Amino acid sequence: MSIRSLNGSYLRHSALAAALMVGLVSIAGTAFAQATSGTIFGQAEAGETVIITSATGLTRQMPTDSKGRYRADNLPVGTYTVSLQKNGAVVDTRKDVGINAGSGTDISFASAANASSLSAVTVTANALPAIDVSGVDSRTVITAQQLARLPLARSAEAIALLAPGVVAGTTLFSGTTTGNSSVVSFGGSSVTENAYYINGFNATDPISGFGGLTLPYGAIEQQEILSGGYGAAYGRSDGGVISQVGKRGTNEWHFGGQILWTPTDLQSDPRNYYYVSGNKAGQIFRTRKDIKAWTTTLDGYVGGPLIKDKLFFFAAYEAERQQGQSTGAVTSPFVTHYRYDNPKWYGKVDWNITDSNILELTGASSKSSYQGVLNKYNYATGQEGGFNSNGTSVKNGADLYSAKFTSYITDDLTLTALYGKMKGTYFNQTPGYDPTYPFLISPDKQNPALTGGGIINNSQTLQQFVNPAHTSKNTNLRIDLAYKWGSHTLTAGIDNQNVRDLNDGQITAGPGYAWQYSNGNPNNFITGGPVANGPNWQSQPWVAAPGAYPGGSTGYYASKYIFTTNSSVIVTQRAQYLEDAWQVNERWLVKIGLRNDQFTNYNGNSEPYLRLTKPQWAPRVGFAWDVNGDSSFKIYGNAGRYYLALPASVALRNAGAATYTNEYFTYTGIDAHGIPTGLTPIKTSTGGPISANLAYGIPPDPKTVTAQNIKSEHQDEYILGFDKKLGDSWVYGAKATYRDLRDGIDDFSDTGRIIDKMNAMGIDPNSYNSNTVLGAYLINPGRNPTLRVPKLGGGYYLVPLDWHKDLGFNTTMKRHYYGLEMYLEHPFDGKWYGKIDYLFSRSYGNSEGQVKSDVGQTDVSATSDWDYWQLMDYANGYLSNDRRHQIKAYGSYQIAPEWMLSGNVAILSGAPKECLGLYGPAQTNPGLGYTPGYYHWCDGKPSVPGFARQPWTYLLSLSAEYRPEWADKKLGFNVMVYNVLNKQRITQTYALHGSSDAVIPSYGRPYSSQTPRYVRFGVTYDF
């Protein structure tokens, strides 16, 4: 690009280089986080007019103020022409100016005197180094052009992994909205603490927060990955945000399509998994040879004007099919032949009612259906056998419809309003299901003296039934009003959301129960007992030692397991906010905001069990300093508080009529179907089935479910960083981040200690029913809770509990994250683009957050942590999502006019390891006695999280695209090789250890490893 000026000083005074970057940029101006719009701003002479025209014909005229500044906020994402007008004539023009969602683009002009002496100056935008000096947060934006080039798996989460501080979550979790998607962690937070948006609508999974609805890959115009520091307009996330903006029609017709194919012949075999502990060490656990699937994806799109400059539409459809096979472990020896069908569609209508009023209609859908057939497999011969059963057919998905209205009431006053609905479906059905036999849990812990050293299983492959009538409904209303007043831009609004989780629940398959095999020291109580819990041991749940019962002398026993939940619940979330973006002077921008959130969770009877409607003030403060005044060097920072609501699923366990029991037996035989025989009941504290959480199917009084003084989960965050140009082609920078989880919500279940405190208070035991002392109370771990216990005569006892003295804990909830990021970036200049990023970070404490990745526990805010004090001894260490070192690099290179090469590299240090065993040097099972032991002890010694690490992971992926001139570059051929080096490092291992005399065979074996190498071919046509 060449620019001329009469005095040769044009470039020196223009911020054009900072304005026209196409690529990764920061948030800007007063555009909202998770926005679908951006900002164009700049400098000219006072009294001039700037005309901004979009590719859809939308036109805005912005006069410059007394200092020559102008700003156009809330512009829809797209391409614009920006012109300078003097005395009614256009004297300077910038074409092909692209803006990104939430971003500010600086288009400044030469002085009017110089401009007026030119007949006309027209500059076509190019991608030069740029720094957005109007941004105060941490945001990465990936554009459609980059998505078409970079070698990535085709998902929103795979795109998010490009951003610093984002790591893959455990494979034990998956997204629930569309079935088989992965999940990610931002900045050390758990995977359920993120938010998803589509064109401004909150599309987060409303049930448990695992993932969210996302667009067809080819319909993504931009994806924002927000890792911190966003303003007061948005909340309900203390992890990160994945926000997608879909494509829209323009004044030119475009259509096209793509075929992608991933063949099995070019896929590498996954590594086998072996036992590494106990008497099975070295034996195979799971053969993974030929665990492969071919994938075919077809997609197409069309977009253009229905009425030129007035009405536009865009539509896209994607159909993905994956078909393959998978062999189960020795504990479930079946070969599953399966098929996934994952259709997605997206549609958008844009209506420029006038230049001052815009209406946008969005529709999106994502579905995932699964079906499979299970054949028998013989591990001894390595041969697949005949038919065993049909797999459970699953149809999950969501449909979204939203409308957004924008009105530029005046040059200084803008109104936006968004309303939408999302409906989710979660259907399960097992064709030909046979309920005859119970499911067997941990059959590898069967007494080898009765099995000949092997495993006896049966044909039952289903542990739980999910209610096939399960659906969800989610509505979102936003109204935002922005007013420019001198150097201030004031924004205020409301952000309301309602979630209905309908017919959500599950029951145990088979005859209504499963059998779980276990073993331990035959002379130790299975749960609780005098050694584990001391003099008052009988006030705690307990299960006697198996050694005194027939068949239990070697420590082997079994339990009959029952688990059921079912309910329809509601969650309402309300918020109001006010924010001021104050342009103090040409170099300083200060943002001050305040948000107030209110959350109410209702049980199945529409009664509130958690009402957090008092003000929850979340202040946000940020600044951006344009150090040199020319957009070449920015120092920025922000501080803020972020509140998180509890999702709908919490009510199923904590406020519903859940049943969760085990009934314990010794056995003297195992029949041909793996069912224990010769049963002798083991004595328990109840005389029969025992529920550690008192979940016996009785719905609790909603006023007793939570602590009276409970607070919402919230986190404080602090960021300080800089971005700086390096010459004319590079940008570099650094950023420091600190996050502190101030309060979390989890359940406390030590009923005996509550009763002990009531006795100490002198409360008559005959004045209340001890069965109404719940087995799980929602509390803020670390704070002194006050609980309600119903009186027999009406009313409630208030029971204040001291966290240390009454509940026995010697620690409070801790989750701290800090990171130091450094990056170097070369924006795309028509030839190549590249970025390399290094992050040193620590995520440490004793609580990962709402879920537990180390054991795959998905009970949001109802994990085993904090149920009783012994579980949290020595719990402080490195958390599951900690990756100390992260190196990420990606880019593309136009080696010839027809050829583009791209690459993506991710090098991460390993995740922390855990060893969870029985408690203390005596290796007992105290408290509620969670078999087989979830304590931070291993072989009778303390074992803190992160005592060792998984190996480093290395991932290199490459792609090449050929767009021939003879097809006018409309036709493209591409190939991607994922994991070129075929690294298959282990990413997570089984954490449950048992005891030194009864080591769990699975301890230390792999849970997951890196995806093996595969090759994907594609043909694309764009007109």
Side-chain angles (χ1 to χ4, degrees):
M1 180 176 66
S2 174
I3 302 178
R4 298 176 54 203
S5 77
L6 295 180
N7 60 9
S9 63
Y10 186 87
L11 284 176
R12 187 168 59 250
H13 292 287
S14 173
L16 179 63
L20 306 177
M21 172 183 176
V22 177
L24 307 181
V25 296
S26 302
I27 188 174
T30 59
F32 307 134
Q34 297 87 261
T36 61
S37 60
T39 300
I40 292 177
F41 65 97
Q43 188 79 27
E45 278 197 353
E48 297 175 344
T49 300
V50 176
I51 302 174
I52 301 170
T53 305
S54 75
T56 61
L58 175 69
T59 300
R60 293 192 66 189
Q61 295 190 21
M62 307 301 298
T64 59
D65 63 16
S66 60
K67 296 183 179 179
R69 297 178 302 201
Y70 77 93
R71 179 182 214 92
D73 291 321
N74 298 296
L75 296 173
V77 167
T79 303
Y80 289 81
T81 297
V82 184
S83 300
L84 176 67
Q85 188 180 75
K86 181 177 177 62
N87 297 325
V90 173
V91 297
D92 205 347
T93 300
R94 307 285 183 264
K95 290 186 175 181
D96 299 331
V97 174
I99 65 172
N100 288 341
S103 296
T105 300
D106 184 347
I107 301 295
S108 294
F109 294 90
S111 68
N114 289 335
S116 62
S117 64
L118 302 174
S119 57
V121 177
T122 300
V123 179
T124 300
N126 201 352
L128 296 179
I131 294 171
D132 177 10
V133 296
S134 64
V136 303
D137 67 2
S138 301
R139 180 187 302 265
T140 300
V141 176
I142 307 294
T143 64
Q145 293 87 348
Q146 291 173 304
L147 293 178
R149 298 167 184 156
L150 293 175
L152 299 171
R154 292 168 61 86
S155 70
E157 291 77 15
I159 301 169
L161 289 174
L162 295 174
V166 183
V167 300
T170 174
T171 58
L172 299 175
F173 299 150
S174 63
T176 55
T177 301
T178 54
N180 62 338
S181 60
S182 59
V183 289
V184 292
S185 164
F186 285 72
S189 298
S190 72
V191 299
T192 60
E193 298 172 29
N194 306 321
Y196 284 65
Y197 286 81
I198 290 180
N199 286 353
F201 180 92
N202 190 328
T204 312
D205 163 37
I207 309 301
S208 300
F210 286 98
L213 179 65
T214 59
L215 293 174
Y217 200 78
I220 302 171
E221 177 65 29
Q222 296 176 6
Q223 177 168 315
E224 302 169 90
I225 308 147
L226 184 65
S227 54
Y230 52 85
Y234 286 82
R236 300 172 194 152
S237 164
D238 57 14
V241 173
I242 294 176
S243 178
Q244 294 183 331
V245 177
K247 293 180 178 179
R248 66 177 66 210
T250 66
N251 271 325
E252 295 183 0
W253 282 98
H254 293 278
F255 65 86
Q258 186 177 52
I259 301 175
L260 297 170
W261 178 49
T262 304
T264 57
D265 292 342
L266 298 180
Q267 296 177 33
S268 298
D269 283 321
R271 62 185 296 171
N272 291 334
Y273 292 162
Y274 293 87
Y275 288 108
V276 297
S277 301
N279 56 11
K280 293 182 180 292
Q283 297 180 27
I284 192 164
F285 172 76
R286 185 182 184 190
T287 179
R288 303 176 74 228
K289 184 179 180 181
D290 293 329
I291 294 184
K292 299 178 181 179
W294 59 261
T295 304
T296 301
T297 304
L298 304 175
D299 61 31
Y301 69 90
V302 61
L306 298 175
I307 302 175
K308 189 175 181 181
D309 291 338
K310 183 66 67 172
L311 188 63
F312 312 86
F313 94 103
F314 182 90
Y317 182 78
E318 175 180 287
E320 178 187 88
R321 171 170 292 181
Q322 184 182 79
Q323 194 161 335
Q325 66 181 51
S326 176
T327 305
V330 293
T331 55
S332 183
F334 307 101
V335 176
T336 302
H337 298 269
Y338 63 88
R339 189 179 88 186
Y340 280 100
D341 288 291
N342 304 314
K344 291 185 174 184
W345 62 261
Y346 165 76
K348 192 166 193 295
V349 174
D350 293 89
W351 180 19
N352 296 337
I353 304 171
T354 66
D355 280 342
S356 299
N357 297 282
I358 305 170
L359 179 64
E360 304 172 54
L361 304 177
T362 296
S365 174
S366 179
K367 303 291 175 63
S368 177
S369 65
Y370 168 89
Q371 55 184 323
V373 173
L374 281 72
N375 292 339
K376 298 174 183 177
Y377 181 79
N378 190 318
Y379 262 90
T381 64
Q383 297 298 311
E384 181 177 349
F387 173 81
N388 178 80
S389 60
N390 289 301
T392 300
S393 296
V394 179
K395 295 182 180 180
N396 290 343
D399 299 301
L400 179 156
Y401 300 93
S402 68
K404 180 183 178 183
F405 175 71
T406 302
S407 179
Y408 308 110
I409 301 172
T410 68
D411 290 341
D412 297 323
L413 183 63
T414 302
L415 170 71
T416 62
L418 180 146
Y419 179 77
K421 293 184 177 182
M422 183 173 78
K423 180 179 180 180
T425 57
Y426 316 89
F427 176 79
N428 283 250
Q429 189 176 62
T430 305
Y433 164 69
D434 183 358
T436 304
Y437 303 115
F439 184 83
L440 302 181
I441 304 171
S442 305
D444 56 343
K445 288 188 271 187
Q446 292 169 341
N447 188 342
L450 302 175
T451 64
I455 295 173
I456 302 177
N457 218 312
N458 63 42
S459 60
Q460 182 60 266
T461 59
L462 189 63
Q463 181 177 348
Q464 301 287 342
F465 266 128
V466 176
N467 190 336
H470 184 197
T471 61
S472 66
K473 296 180 181 179
N474 177 19
T475 62
N476 194 190
L477 170 66
R478 287 196 58 95
I479 299 176
D480 305 281
L481 189 66
Y483 177 64
K484 288 188 290 185
W485 177 47
S487 58
H488 297 267
T489 300
L490 302 173
T491 310
I494 62 171
D495 177 11
N496 296 343
Q497 189 167 352
N498 291 334
V499 171
R500 298 176 65 88
D501 182 17
L502 307 174
N503 302 307
D504 191 353
Q506 53 187 304
I507 62 172
T508 306
Y513 59 85
W515 281 105
Q516 180 168 355
Y517 285 96
S518 304
N519 69 306
N521 189 316
N523 301 314
N524 285 354
F525 273 56
I526 294 172
T527 294
V531 176
N533 287 333
N536 295 323
W537 65 275
Q538 290 184 328
S539 67
Q540 299 280 353
W542 55 265
V543 181
Y549 299 86
S553 60
T554 55
Y556 286 89
Y557 60 95
S559 62
K560 182 183 288 187
Y561 168 90
I562 298 175
F563 179 76
T564 64
T565 61
N566 189 62
S567 195
S568 295
V569 300
I570 301 171
V571 179
T572 63
Q573 303 173 26
R574 303 285 183 264
Q576 308 82 39
Y577 78 93
L578 176 65
E579 185 171 75
D580 178 19
W582 178 23
Q583 192 71 50
V584 181
N585 54 41
E586 287 79 2
R587 300 191 181 190
W588 279 92
L589 170 70
V590 175
K591 286 189 176 182
I592 303 173
L594 186 64
R595 180 182 177 90
N596 179 26
D597 283 287
Q598 304 97 46
F599 311 133
T600 305
N601 292 56
Y602 297 85
N603 65 11
N605 295 324
S606 299
E607 301 169 310
Y609 69 91
L610 179 64
R611 190 190 294 272
L612 297 166
T613 55
K614 293 182 179 179
Q616 298 182 120
W617 301 116
R620 316 276 171 85
V621 179
F623 76 91
W625 176 26
D626 182 3
V627 178
N628 298 323
D630 59 1
S631 302
S632 64
F633 181 20
K634 178 182 77 169
I635 296 176
Y636 66 97
N638 55 70
R641 173 164 291 183
Y642 303 87
Y643 282 91
L644 186 67
L646 286 187
S649 65
V650 177
L652 301 183
R653 286 290 303 274
N654 294 85
T659 299
Y660 177 31
T661 62
N662 278 278
E663 188 174 5
Y664 294 84
F665 303 87
T666 58
Y667 57 93
T668 57
I670 298 177
D671 71 12
H673 305 292
I675 301 171
T677 61
L679 300 176
T680 301
I682 301 173
K683 190 174 182 179
T684 69
S685 55
T686 65
I690 184 171
S691 174
N693 297 122
L694 301 183
Y696 293 107
I698 303 172
D701 181 338
K703 294 182 179 180
T704 66
V705 172
T706 65
Q708 189 183 41
N709 52 343
I710 196 169
K711 299 178 182 295
S712 293
E713 177 172 325
H714 63 280
Q715 179 172 265
D716 290 344
E717 180 184 68
Y718 307 90
I719 296 174
L720 181 64
F722 77 89
D723 301 305
K724 195 175 191 305
K725 289 176 61 176
L726 180 64
D728 293 328
S729 302
W730 297 85
V731 178
Y732 72 98
K735 178 184 69 177
T737 302
Y738 175 68
R739 288 178 159 190
D740 180 15
L741 184 65
R742 300 300 301 274
D743 266 315
I745 294 180
D746 212 315
D747 61 344
F748 169 79
S749 304
D750 200 340
T751 301
R753 287 186 170 268
I754 301 171
I755 294 176
D756 290 343
K757 179 59 183 281
M758 295 178 72
N759 292 336
M761 292 171 62
I763 296 175
D764 183 0
N766 297 315
S767 65
Y768 68 96
N769 183 348
S770 61
N771 290 329
T772 60
V773 180
L774 302 185
Y777 289 89
L778 292 175
I779 62 167
N780 299 126
R783 292 186 180 270
N784 296 332
T786 297
L787 306 181
R788 297 182 185 92
V789 176
K791 299 178 182 178
L792 290 177
Y796 301 90
Y797 286 116
L798 295 182
V799 184
L801 295 155
D802 185 273
W803 183 251
H804 301 291
K805 294 178 181 178
D806 298 327
L807 302 186
F809 290 94
N810 57 25
T811 186
T812 58
M813 175 175 275
K814 300 174 185 176
R815 188 181 77 189
H816 302 282
Y817 171 87
Y818 61 84
L820 177 61
E821 175 202 353
M822 296 172 284
Y823 78 91
L824 178 65
E825 181 179 9
H826 184 283
F828 189 69
D829 58 0
K831 187 75 173 178
W832 72 284
Y833 168 85
K835 182 176 182 180
I836 184 170
D837 190 289
Y838 169 72
L839 175 68
F840 174 81
S841 64
R842 296 281 182 92
S843 179
Y844 62 95
N846 53 26
S847 180
E848 176 188 349
Q850 291 187 330
V851 293
K852 277 180 67 66
S853 295
D854 51 4
V855 296
Q857 188 175 9
T858 59
D859 301 308
V860 176
S861 289
T863 69
S864 59
D865 289 348
W866 310 107
D867 281 357
Y868 51 99
W869 68 269
Q870 291 95 334
L871 288 167
M872 303 310 294
D873 263 7
Y874 299 101
N876 196 55
Y878 293 106
L879 301 174
S880 295
N881 297 309
D882 177 66
R883 305 292 186 274
R884 188 169 300 177
H885 303 280
Q886 300 177 41
I887 302 171
K888 299 181 180 181
Y890 50 93
S892 55
Y893 187 74
Q894 191 84 46
I895 59 173
E898 297 178 324
W899 287 92
M900 172 75 77
L901 297 180
S902 300
N904 180 28
V905 176
I907 303 173
L908 279 70
S909 58
K913 286 185 176 182
E914 284 213 52
C915 181
L916 302 174
L918 293 177
Y919 183 80
Q923 300 183 66
T924 61
N925 204 359
L928 305 182
Y930 290 155
T931 303
Y934 288 79
Y935 311 94
H936 296 277
W937 289 78
C938 198
D939 282 326
K941 299 177 182 178
S943 177
V944 299
F947 71 93
R949 293 268 175 171
Q950 305 294 349
W952 283 61
T953 58
Y954 304 87
L955 179 65
L956 169 65
S957 300
L958 299 173
S959 65
E961 183 180 56
Y962 171 58
R963 285 192 173 268
E965 295 281 5
W966 53 262
D968 198 25
K969 294 189 176 182
K970 294 183 174 66
L971 182 65
F973 304 89
N974 62 75
V975 59
M976 182 195 81
V977 183
Y978 182 88
N979 194 359
V980 173
L981 304 178
N982 197 30
K983 296 289 187 180
Q984 295 190 42
R985 299 288 182 86
I986 295 171
T987 55
Q988 187 176 355
T989 51
Y990 192 88
L992 300 180
H993 176 270
S995 62
S996 55
D997 55 0
V999 177
I1000 296 174
S1002 286
Y1003 172 69
R1005 66 150 171 91
Y1007 255 147
S1008 59
S1009 53
Q1010 291 178 268
T1011 301
R1013 178 174 53 230
Y1014 65 85
V1015 181
R1016 186 179 72 202
F1017 299 96
V1019 179
T1020 304
Y1021 184 78
D1022 299 288
F1023 178 81

